[in-house]
Amino acid sequence: MIKTEKVLHLKSSRGGKVRVVREHYLRERVDCRSSLCQDDCNSDGKLLSGDVTHYVVPDAGVVRDFLEVLEFRELQGIVFTQTACQAAHHARGRRHYNRLRGLLKDPRHDCVLFANEFQQYSYCPREKGETQEKWHTRCVYHAAVWYYNHLTGQKPVVMISEDEEAIKEYSSQNTGVYVISTQEYLQSFWPDLQAAQELYTSIAHALQERESEGVEKEYTEHLPAEVLEAGIKSGRYIQGMLSVNKHRSQNEAFVRFEGSSNKDTELNSDILISGGKHRNRAVHGDVVAVELLPRSEWSGRTNSLTDGQTEEKAGEDTQSKPMPTGRVVGIVQRNWRDYVVTFPPKEELHSQSRNTQKILVIPWDYRIPKIRISTQQAEVLQDHRVIVRLDSWDSTSLYPNGHTVRVLGKAGELETEIQTILVENCIHVPPFSEAQLREMPVNSREQPWQMDPSEVSSRRDLRDTHLVFSIDPLGCEDVDDTLSIRTLPGGKRLELGVHIADVTHFVKKGSLTDLEARTRATTYYMADRRYDMLPPVLSADLCSLLGGVDRYAMSVLWELDDETLAVCNVWYGRTLIRSSYQLHYELAQSLLNGEGVEVPELLQLESPEQGQKLADLLQALETLTRVARHLRAQRDKVGALELEGVEVRAQLDKDKNIAALVPKQPLEVHETVAECMIYANHWVARKIQESFPHQALLRHHPPPRQEFFNQLVDSAKSRGFIIDTRSNKALADSLDRAVDPQDPLVNRLLRMMATQAMSNALYFSTGACPEEQYYHYGLALERYTHFTSPIRRYADIIVHRLLMAAIQSEKDGCLHKTLDSNKELHELAQQINNRNRAAQHAQKQSIELFQCLYFRDKDPLTDERCVADAIIYSIRANGILVFLPQYGLKGAVYLKNRENKVVSVRDDGKCEWQAGTLQRYLDRVSTFTSTGTHTFHLFDHVTVRISVVPSRCHADSVHLELISNKQHRTERAQSQPSGRGQSELVREVVRREEEASLQAEEQKARRPKFSKEEREFRQSKTPNLYSLLQEISELAMLDLTVCHLPNNEAQTCSTSA
Ligand SMILES: [Zn+2]
């Protein structure tokens, strides 16, 4: 080993230069990380594929400026040099560097790190007078030459650089080592990868433009990092995440108060950031440092309804009382992501681009400011939606600078709009890759999957001893849970069993499938389709606990005292099962009710055997019901809640499409199954928490803050109900009593308000949270986790692995080395929580999209489907919020318009605009006009007209207009169960969209049909809302059709790259 010195010139955070001398050791042997290596120099870890035409070595400038281009998975054989990585880290900071590290770690990207500066023969010291840039380029070139020679010339090596001089200098020095520009590289080697070339051009443009920037300051400079840090520590500044008010994006933003860092005890609310200057270039989602303004400059948040689209009209709004107000002094962390934007219309384009090629694009998300980009495609892409990334926002620039990444498609088309929703929520669901699918077991007619004999012998075999069955909605194909119940010999004890698909047998930790599932974290349910977390060969086949086939399972078996039902013993472990009956809910309930129904599995049997089997099944169902009642009663005693959201469920037809969302008939068997799953989750939570007190994944549901219940309590009071929110038990009991016999919707709305007041249930690592916060408020359980749906939730996969590790450590007495640490688990829990939130938002937005597509081409004045009954659930300063049961839709209704006219009611109930004034009270709002006073109370039924407000740059929105203060009654509305409209509209829109695309398809040349494999592994378009609804019933705690209220949790979304 040779010792040398390396001199570095680093920038300090104050902007000065620091000279650092480091000892530097050179070695003869450094991992080359190529699978073609003949020197055997690689220890372990990721290797570069040998199956490429060349290797490519980007120089420091390319890694610094064009990393995004290198992120395309299609580009293979990339060697990142240590020189380039360190230089990029230095120039672009930690975030950029983390991205690079992520790329290097990810086995789905064919790229490696070569530590060229430790390699004795590739290292080159800096020469006198040589600039840092030139030196870096020379180092990278030397590394490329070394690499070529080291692999004995088996692969040509291409170095890419943006430095024209370097290209001239090096391009003909060594045969086999080529030096070309990035653009030439992409054009010659990846001519089909159009997207990469476009991205390159767009970044190059952005870089050019940035050099020609002005110097006039638009904003105050941000404070340097160490000043912020010290200020936050001392309490002078407050750290928090910026959340922009969607409806007043120009003016109103809040910084979410992050408790511990703040010493000002008075301050327990959000901090208001008013106006653009005070927001000082912070973008929604950024973590910022805020300085409070003097009290005299504080102002209040606004309570009245506004259209998000329009500019603010000052002075007119009723402001609530002054609240802590501040200004942003610095950015602690940027959380920029991909943004979907629309180009300005042609007319504006010309006025904008007089002197430069820069144009201002408008983000789909109201909370994001306009972005300056340079492009020549603005006219061509007029009607398209485009993805843009932010590059910088200097104090001299009124708007942030960015560059285009990819064109999504024509605005307004279903596919574009769905893709927009996915991008906006950072949901990345590419088709499963070939490499990943190669990991999957095969199960075809020619090659049926078979159980491994060694697996069979290592598992507890329940196939002959246990009557196992599943109860699901009709047509369910991914069965991840089954049940069993039997009386143990002696007759004194019962044995209850919950058997869950053994997904972790097939998905090994660290495999590509595991990584992909971890990234997705959940199956995503949109209104018309779903994006699966696992490939279908697992989710719909080998992991699905179908009837009559042998399957691996993870089981929990409880021995219960036959009389008291107390738990005497619990067994956890891997099993083999063969489900005897795949029942659906209605069938199971009919059996329990003693109705003469046929069980398909028994049809072929002769009568004595049939009778015996039927009696066995019936007895099992009855015992199960008895046990579940007992379990539910135990939880009820301590305050389990039943909330709004549980009552709709999906009805699937023969082809497994949703036929309707029908109100849940209160079948007891639903609760029976749910109760058993909750029980299994609870016991598994106890088990893994005992085994791993500092690194188990649990799920808790924090008790809500009392002030969030104010609306619920006040609203209920206006109807004479008293809601007691002191505990979950009190709340549950008082909600049960708050029933208006005349109007069942009142109770439903109260339950919705209760749901709204609550926080979301969240995953956490036991080491990252004090034990008194483990409690699950909604379920009234001390310990809870998710174990029962590993096919569609990654948390359950982690929990299965934890459970196996717990069982293993009991056997051999030692902890598993492969277990995630508390820190890793904590980060993973946050990532899963974040993905779940994204999944919920995306789903909500997709439902809104369908609502708009449904109403878009109906004439609101003539089409009776545009008129609906609505019930008032909230009173605002200039209007009301209403719920439309027929369409499951919520929205705002204005009682005062921009011309200052108010709604007045004629004798027949019809509404019209008239000059007048408006007065808001706690439980009602009144308008005063020359014709009299008209009052709208909470829970009043009114009639509204639905129309769609189209938007070029944002999502279309539904507009509601009051047409009568009377309840709207039609035969249709009467006969139709609530909630059903929603699925009808999804179907209608999808059908129309498919017809349209079919026509377009026919007009074009006929495309080849999907291959069988493609069809099989494509993301599913089959709606399966069932699982989602079950999730809600487990208190997902987010009302999917809620409209925006001030206290709603802001959508936070960090870059998922
Ligand atoms: Zn080697």
Side-chain angles (χ1 to χ4, degrees), residues 30-34 37-42 146 150-151:
V30 169
D31 288 12
C32 71
R33 304 202 170 278
S34 164
C37 177
Q38 304 191 326
D39 251 10
D40 207 18
C41 61
N42 296 308
W146 180 89
H150 177 71
L151 299 178

Side-chain angles (χ1 to χ4, degrees), residues 16 49 175 179 231 275 324 356 675 698 702 712 837 852 892 907 914 946:
S49 146
T175 44
V179 186
T356 59
E675 205 57 47
L698 297 190
L712 168 67
R837 220 172 286 135
C852 288
D907 288 343
Q914 274 193 11
I946 309 158

Side-chain angles (χ1 to χ4, degrees), residues 382-493:
Q382 272 291 296
D383 306 321
H384 289 68
R385 297 217 194 277
V386 178
I387 300 180
V388 161
R389 280 184 200 146
L390 292 179
D391 295 314
S392 61
W393 194 349
D394 299 325
S395 58
T396 52
S397 171
L398 205 51
Y399 296 99
N401 291 311
H403 64 270
T404 59
V405 177
R406 187 156 62 89
V407 178
L408 277 182
K410 273 204 141 155
E413 285 179 0
L414 179 61
E415 280 313 306
T416 310
E417 299 305 309
I418 291 277
Q419 292 307 315
T420 297
I421 291 172
L422 293 177
V423 171
E424 282 292 324
N425 289 288
C426 305
I427 297 173
H428 189 57
V429 278
F432 295 109
S433 73
E434 264 177 53
Q436 194 189 330
L437 293 173
R438 274 198 296 272
E439 289 180 350
M440 292 293 100
V442 175
N443 189 26
S444 61
R445 192 169 295 167
E446 306 81 51
Q447 223 182 317
W449 175 80
Q450 280 180 329
M451 295 201 292
D452 188 338
S454 70
E455 273 299 323
V456 174
S457 60
S458 71
R459 288 167 179 263
R460 183 163 168 186
D461 192 341
L462 309 180
R463 286 175 295 177
D464 297 327
T465 49
H466 286 67
L467 173 65
V468 174
F469 52 90
S470 62
I471 310 177
D472 283 297
L474 191 61
C476 175
E477 57 181 16
D478 43 353
V479 181
D480 44 12
D481 52 82
T482 53
L483 293 157
S484 68
I485 183 114
R486 59 173 189 164
T487 306
L488 292 174
K492 289 245 162 60
R493 284 189 181 179

Side-chain angles (χ1 to χ4, degrees), residues 539-640:
S539 54
D541 190 359
L542 295 178
C543 288
S544 184
L545 306 174
L546 306 167
V549 290
D550 293 342
R551 287 287 180 260
Y552 297 143
M554 288 277 274
S555 300
V556 185
L557 295 165
W558 297 266
E559 275 182 35
L560 307 171
D561 183 283
D562 186 55
E563 274 180 24
T564 64
L565 296 177
V567 176
C568 310
N569 197 11
V570 195
W571 183 89
Y572 307 86
R574 289 195 139 128
T575 53
L576 290 176
I577 61 159
R578 188 190 294 137
S579 169
S580 305
Y581 303 98
Q582 215 176 319
L583 304 174
H584 58 90
Y585 284 115
E586 290 69 20
L587 179 61
Q589 191 64 54
S590 301
L591 286 169
L592 281 164
N593 295 350
E595 296 159 24
V597 281
E598 284 175 340
V599 179
E601 283 90 344
L602 298 178
L603 285 179
Q604 306 296 324
L605 299 179
E606 298 295 318
S607 65
E609 196 190 353
Q610 192 188 46
Q612 182 55 46
K613 292 216 161 181
L614 189 62
D616 290 346
L617 174 61
L618 194 56
Q619 161 138 46
L621 288 172
E622 279 167 354
T623 315
L624 200 63
T625 309
R626 175 164 75 94
V627 172
R629 273 180 201 160
H630 169 76
L631 297 177
R632 172 77 206 196
Q634 277 186 321
R635 286 199 304 118
D636 277 344
K637 256 196 302 203
V638 288

